[in-house]
Amino acid sequence: MTAQIIDGRAVAAALRENVAARASALPYRPGLAVVLVGDDPASRVYVRNKDKAALQVGLHARTIALPADTTEAALLALIKNLNDDPQTDGILVQLPLPAHIRSDIVLRAIDPAKDVDGFHPDNVAALALGEPGLVPCTPRGILRLLEHAQIPLRGAKALVIGRSNIVGKPVAALLVAQNATVTIAHSATRDLAGECRRAEIVIAAVGRAEMVRGDWIAPGATLIDVGINRTDAGTLVGDIAYAEALPIAGAITPVPGGVGPMTIACLLENTLTAAIARRH
Ligand code: NAP
């Protein structure tokens, strides 16, 4: 038996259509401001894709590109302007920032009501407390994929590999909120293979090519692969050895075409949510 392949592109396309339909019914255009500091090539591509996707669903998107030597004070002043701008509903500062700028200070400066990445401590606290708030895009996308694939979460044993603030911790909080029994693994975890074999759901968010091997996987398990790793041959692979996992797992996300497309779609949804919450 081969695993059900969870098609992130299709789920993301449906979500984008839903956002477009809801946005078109509003008497205003929700506005997203994406701030890019420096000239990191990968960040440029991400920002361009976010901008394009936002325009396609009818949001008002603009990218503010600043030089790499922008001071922290200048960036904070820009964020204050965006916080005060009534037409701006969502603010996203593309990470990583240049080393001379403190990311934590910058993320704290964003109005939590416009924090469409969900990284402001107020939104992090809301997620931990189970209160309404803006939820980080990749974790939210992962939960939507699980929902789409009709994976039961209540009581399920879930393993999250990775404890970053961007993916691992928030996805674990979302799974707990859905009554899963969650283990979080990281670089100090002993017997990661054993933890994996005991899990019905594995979320791999590490950034190590094909680290999770086929013989680590319980038959029928659901595998969500967040990792994006470029091989020497120039192809993209995830954190899970896909070909090995396919005949064993019950469901699996491919890389590319799994979690990745959901991240941007959830950013658009967060912008719409922020606009409606602020303007109504
Ligand atoms: P990160 O901040 O580098 O965190 C990686 C995590 O993996 C850390 O918690 C680290 O543990 C853990 N780890 C490292 N080696 C390990 C090992 N041998 N065994 C178990 N755990 C180990 O990365 P991230 O930002 O969460 O991203 C993870 C991956 O997802 C990357 O490939 C990234 O490109 C990708 N990503 C994809 C999307 C998307 O939209 N598809 C979005 C975000 C990220 P310690 O905490 O102990 O160091």
Side-chain angles (χ1 to χ4, degrees), residues 138 161-164 166-168 185-189 192 204-208 211 226-229 239 259-260 263:
T138 303
I161 316 178
R163 57 175 163 184
S164 71
I166 294 172
V167 189
H186 42 73
S187 62
T189 297
L192 183 60
V206 179
R208 287 184 173 224
M211 184 184 83
V226 188
I228 304 173
N229 310 288
D239 290 347
V259 174
T263 298

Side-chain angles (χ1 to χ4, degrees), residues 151-158 174-181 200-201:
I151 307 300
L153 299 180
R154 187 180 183 82
K157 279 191 213 123
L174 289 172
L175 288 165
V176 169
Q178 294 300 315
N179 298 308
T181 301
E200 295 162 276
I201 299 169

Side-chain angles (χ1 to χ4, degrees), residues 15-149:
L15 179 55
R16 286 201 307 268
E17 268 176 37
N18 174 284
V19 171
R22 289 164 61 206
S24 71
L26 295 172
Y28 56 85
R29 282 177 83 194
L32 172 66
V34 179
V35 181
L36 174 66
V37 185
D39 42 23
D40 177 62
S43 292
R44 273 186 191 209
V45 174
Y46 292 142
V47 163
R48 202 167 49 232
N49 289 344
K50 287 169 185 171
D51 212 51
K52 209 170 98 189
L55 290 171
Q56 277 169 356
V57 298
L59 306 186
H60 182 270
R62 62 184 168 133
T63 297
I64 303 161
L66 302 173
D69 61 1
T70 299
T71 62
E72 187 179 288
L75 180 56
L76 291 173
L78 169 69
I79 289 172
K80 182 170 185 322
N81 282 340
L82 294 172
N83 285 344
D84 294 342
D85 175 18
Q87 304 307 320
T88 299
D89 298 288
I91 303 169
L92 182 151
V93 177
Q94 182 66 42
L95 300 176
L97 287 166
H100 66 277
I101 298 178
R102 293 168 294 176
S103 304
D104 57 335
I105 301 287
V106 170
L107 295 179
R108 273 166 217 264
I110 297 172
D111 178 348
K114 298 187 176 188
D115 168 39
V116 284
D117 251 343
F119 296 158
H120 188 284
D122 283 9
N123 284 317
V124 175
L127 179 58
L129 295 169
E131 292 173 0
L134 289 162
V135 174
C137 304
T138 303
R140 192 180 179 84
I142 292 168
L143 265 285
R144 283 191 172 273
L145 289 177
L146 290 169
E147 187 188 353
H148 170 83

